[in-house]
Structure formats: structure tokens, C-alpha cells
Amino acid sequence: MADSAKQSARTPGQQNPGAQQNSGAQHSPGAQQGGSHDKGSKPDERFVYQDDDLIEKPFNWGQVSRLLSYMKPYSRQLLPIILVSIILVTLTKLAIPFLISHAIDDAIYPKDKRLLLILTGTMGAVYIIQWLANNFRIRFTNMIGHRVIYDLRQDLFGRIQRLSFRFFDKRPAGSILVRVTNDVNSLQDLFTNGVVNSLIDCIQLAGIIVLLLAMNFKLGLAVILTVPIMFFVSTSLRKRIRRAWQDVRMKQSRINSHLNESIQGIKVTQAFTQEKENMQYFEGMNKVNKKSWDTASALNQSFGPVIEITGAIGYCIMFWYGAHLVEADGLTVGALVGFATYIGQFWDPINRLGQMYSQLLVAMASSERIFEFIDEQPNVAEKKEAIELPPVEGRVHFDHIVFEYEAGRPALRGINLKVQAGQSVALVGHTGSGKSTIINLLSRFYDPLEGRVLVDGCDIRDVTLQSLRSQISIVMQDTFIFSGTIRDNIRYGRLDASDEEVELAAQAVFAHDFISRLPDGYETEVEERGNSLSMGQRQLLSFARALLADPRVLILDEATASIDTETELKIQEALKTLLFGRTSFIIAHRLSTIRNANNIVVLDHGRIMETGSHEELMRKEGIYYGLIQAQYRFLSEAAG
């Protein structure tokens, strides 16, 4: 056990909880990732996720269009602002060099102070208009951009909420978390500034080109011919930059996954004193992440020098050829200065567009990962013609069920089980025998490979998930307590329940006494996962939550495993109320929990081996008899 914990703390890996629990598969994190790592070593590159193949996808302009479509709902608000901004900003920027040229040729040389004063005042007014237009545009586009990010994050989270268990079986929580946080956040600049700024830059660039050619066609053409050089060099960098940013996203995903697992498993890590080795493994991952960031940043920054070198060549051409034109009286000094100012403005939008392209590459790396989740289809999906399941009596029929978590490894083999309404059924068997798989199929967390699950004679694949699951409640061994108040956690079973109904449910399962002793009673805030409560207290809250939901079918999955003997006696009384008139499925190892069940189903390697009441199965002296005898021996040895 110690060795296993050491390896788990060192190299946390991806596991399929369902497969491990129900098919008996034992996954070794070390085997998945290639064993241990020395201090500062590079984490095994075999530890990869499903999204690693995204690196090889070509740049998809259709996906860019899809990303920008999130701005469409705000187009009526955005378009007037864009048009006004484009007109004002472009005109004011293009006017400045013209005014400078006019001032030199017509006011400074002739020493016309009155005209110089007018031109200076005009330039001041132009700068003020430009500042006001930019300030208003930035504030407005930031507001719209944040709304777009809000919409995108809502879509992503909504899709994740609807995905099937198989999706979560294959991905660590940290890998999912980074999509909703980091990947969405990386699109912030694109939506708040990038799109509108790029439109303004493109129009401004076109205006400058027209003016340069109009002022002096030959000089303008000579300068503009340097642009293809810049594009030729920068094009070779694009694919490398995009791949580099995708690699950064994946490295961040791995770090988040490891960090999430390390925090969740900190008690195990400290219990086996594996902090040092866990830090060493994280250091290795962190170094790989830093290296990928350095590579991506270096490639990203290479756009700037390319544009600067190209701009320097353009300036050299302009001054050399421009001076020649001035000497030949083909160009005035003021026009040359104005030309130089336009050249300066010419490279600024090109530089910003280059940065925008780099930003777009980062956004593409993130958007591919975001849309991968949004496009993910749940394995368990409602039919288009799915009907609402009416209030049920609780008759359940598992009709020749075959199921497997992994291809070729059946978890259930031909299960045929009929349960009458109001009947209690106990599922017993060794770990991996298929007990939890049966209740997972009943709740339709998974669909069977073969066979049907019927509730009141209706195939559950023909009804809506909400109408099915609203009539089923599950109480698990490791119950989940949300951050919030005690009252809110109980009310999670039925959100429209009154305070009185919440307290009545707590009283019925004997949770009211311990809740009343808490500092703020039902309004006591509980920490994440309910760490401030004992295991038994959390279980009592889950019983109250299930009772408040008033389900027709109740599932108890080792629900009393964490409750002490004294509390269990109270729970047994509460269960009589909880189970009365309901169909119930009970997974438990304690004899006291299952002996009163109407029917006990003994499973072994995915098959039903025995069925009957406690007395009937004990008389058979089969598998169930052996399990009970083993439990008696264990209890006797523990007592002795």
C-alpha cells in the first residue's frame, strides 16, 4: 500500500474510475506515465491527453469566423461605434502629416505667423478629437468584449454540464478547468480591442498608401515595395508560432491537472511523506512548461524585429530617393517631411496587425480547445422525440444488459433483473463485480452496449434525462458537500423546498440535532467538500437531501459505510421512513443494511450468481453465505 501511494503521489495519472470500480481493472499511474522521475527531470512525454493531436490541424479561418460570430448579437450596438471610430480616428491620423507639410511649405518658410497659428490650433483640435474618439471606442469595445467572453464561457460551461460520464472518465479535472479559465481568458484582448483595432488599422493603412502614391507615385511605390519582403519573412514564422502556442496550452493543461490532483490528494501525500518527490515531479513539469513559454514568446517577439528592419529599409529608400527629388525640385521639403510622417504611420498599423496576427494565433490555440469541448457530443444523449417520463410507480427491469467501460472488458454480462415497485434490492459482491455499474445504468449515466433498462415498462432511452433523474435519488459513500450553508446543501435535493421542509427532512434522518449544535445552525457555512464536517455528518446531510427530493427510486451506494454504530442505529430507523413506498437499490457490505431487503442479488464478474432473501441465500450456503461468514470472522477478529 505504501509503495502504491508513493507512486501515486509521484506520478498522478488519468484513470477511469468507473472501469476500475466495476470491471476490476487496476490502473497504475506509474505504468501509464513511465515510472518515477528524478529531480528536475522532464515528465514522461507518454503522459499526454486526447487534445495533443490538435497541433497538427491546419489554420482554420472558418473557426476564426465562428469565434467572431460571438460578436454578432452585439453588432447593432457595435457597428455604429466602429464606423464613427474608423471615420474619426482615420481622418485625424491622416490629417496630421498633411497639416505638418502645409505648415512647413506655406507658413514656416514664408514666415506667415497667422497661418502657422491657425495650422497649429487645427492640429491641436485634431489631436483632441482623436483622443476623445479613441477613449470612447476603448471603453465601449471593452464592455462589449467582456460580454462576448461571458457568453463564450457560459456556452462552454453549459456544454460541460451536459456531457456524459465517459467524457469525465477520460480527462482530469484540471484539464477541464484550464479550458474554462485560461483558454477563455486568453481571448480577452481579441474581443475587447483586437477586432476593432484591426479594422481601423486596415483602413488607415489603405488611406496612407493612397496618400503616399498621390503625393509622389515613384517614391511611394519604392517604399511600399518593401512590404512584400516583410510578409515573405513573417509567413515562415506563422505555423511555428501557432504550434508553439498550442504546445503552451497543453503544458498548462498538464500542470493544472497535476495541481488539481495534488491538492485533492494532499492528505495521502503528507501521510506517506511524499512531499519532496511530488515537488520534484512538479518541478519537472514546470520546467517543460517554462521552456514551451520561452519558445513561443521568442517566436512571437520575432514579428517586431522583422517589421522594424523592413521599416528601416523603407526609411533609407525614402530619404535617399526623397533627397534626390528635393534637389531636382520634384518634391518640397514640407512634402518630404509629411512623407516621412506618413511612413512612420504606415509601419505602425503594420506592426499592430503583425501583433494582432500573433494574438490571433494564441486565440486559435485556445479556441480549438474550447470548441473541441463545445462540439463534444454526450455519449448519453436524449432522442429528438424523447418524451417526459410521467410519475412512476417504480418498477425496474434490467433486460439482458451487456455493458463495458473499455472495449473487450465487459463489466456486466447478460444481466436480467426485475424489481417490483416499492421493493428493496440489495446488490452484493466483491469489488469489481458490477454493483455500481447497475445503478449507473439505471440513472442513465451510461447506456448499455446491449439490452434495455425499463422503468414502469418504458425504455429509459426514450425519455428525457431530466424527467428520469428527477425521480431517482442517489446517496453515495463519498457524498459531495458544496460550499455554502447547511440549508442550501440540503435544499439541493429540491430547490423550491421551504425552510420548514428542509428542517423536517433533517429531523427525519436525525441530522437536526448536530445541525442545531453548529454555530449558526442551518445557516452555518461549510467549506469546500464539507471538510469542516465529519464523514458521518456529511452522510446525514446527503440522506436529508435525498429525502427532500422525494424520489420514487432511491439508490444507496455504500451510504452507511462512514457512519458510526450509534448513528447507524438511528439511520436504520430513518431508512424505514426513507425507503417506505419507494423502490430502492442498496449497495452495502454491512449485514445490518441488507438483511431486511426484499431481494438480495449476488454479483460476480458482471453476472448474477444468486438471488433471494437473506434466509434463502444463507440456506444455499453459496457465494452470499461465504461473504457473510467472512464478515463475521472479520468482526470477531476485530472484537478480539
Side-chain angles (χ1 to χ4, degrees), residues 425-427 435-436 439 556-559 585-589 594:
V425 177
L427 304 175
K435 303 184 297 295
S436 293
I439 64 174
L556 305 179
D557 189 355
E558 292 288 359
F585 291 82
I586 304 168
I587 299 176
H589 292 103
I594 61 176

Side-chain angles (χ1 to χ4, degrees), residues 399-613:
D399 185 14
H400 298 91
I401 297 294
V402 175
F403 177 77
E404 54 188 32
Y405 290 100
E406 298 177 16
R409 301 179 63 181
L412 295 178
R413 309 163 188 258
I415 297 295
N416 192 36
L417 175 65
K418 289 185 178 181
V419 181
Q420 298 303 316
Q423 204 174 32
S424 60
V425 177
L427 304 175
V428 300
H430 296 291
T431 300
S433 61
K435 303 184 297 295
S436 293
T437 303
I438 287 179
I439 64 174
N440 283 338
L441 294 179
L442 175 58
S443 302
R444 212 185 165 205
F445 295 141
Y446 303 88
D447 278 336
L449 187 64
E450 297 178 17
R452 302 177 301 165
V453 180
L454 307 174
V455 175
D456 281 10
C458 184
D459 191 329
I460 62 174
R461 287 173 294 193
D462 296 332
V463 304
T464 63
L465 291 173
Q466 193 278 333
S467 65
L468 170 69
R469 292 173 182 169
S470 64
Q471 302 190 61
I472 300 174
S473 280
I474 304 176
V475 181
M476 296 175 286
Q477 177 181 359
D478 184 19
T479 187
F480 195 94
I481 301 298
F482 296 91
S483 298
T485 65
I486 294 286
R487 190 183 303 279
D488 290 339
N489 269 278
I490 297 176
R491 188 178 275 134
Y492 203 78
R494 182 161 56 87
L495 297 180
D496 60 352
S498 65
D499 289 349
E500 183 181 3
E501 289 174 317
V502 169
E503 293 178 19
L504 287 174
Q507 291 171 5
V509 297
F510 301 97
H512 180 76
D513 290 343
F514 93 81
I515 295 174
S516 300
R517 291 194 296 269
L518 293 174
D520 298 312
Y522 285 87
E523 305 307 322
T524 301
E525 293 280 340
V526 290
E527 300 173 2
E528 182 181 3
R529 300 188 66 85
N531 291 330
S532 58
L533 302 175
S534 70
M535 290 287 288
Q537 288 172 335
R538 295 202 292 271
Q539 287 289 36
L540 289 174
L541 290 183
S542 69
F543 270 97
R545 181 190 294 168
L547 180 60
L548 187 64
D550 193 23
R552 298 304 306 153
V553 179
L554 180 66
I555 297 170
L556 305 179
D557 189 355
E558 292 288 359
T560 60
S562 302
I563 296 176
D564 58 77
T565 305
E566 181 181 353
T567 305
E568 187 186 3
L569 294 175
K570 296 180 180 179
I571 286 294
Q572 294 304 324
E573 291 299 315
L575 282 176
K576 293 179 181 179
T577 302
L578 193 62
L579 300 179
F580 180 77
R582 296 183 172 91
T583 303
S584 58
F585 291 82
I586 304 168
I587 299 176
H589 292 103
R590 291 187 181 183
L591 175 60
S592 57
T593 309
I594 61 176
R595 68 180 306 161
N596 294 324
N598 299 121
N599 190 23
I600 298 173
V601 178
V602 183
L603 295 155
D604 187 40
H605 291 90
R607 299 183 186 277
I608 295 179
M609 308 304 292
E610 298 174 352
T611 60
S613 66

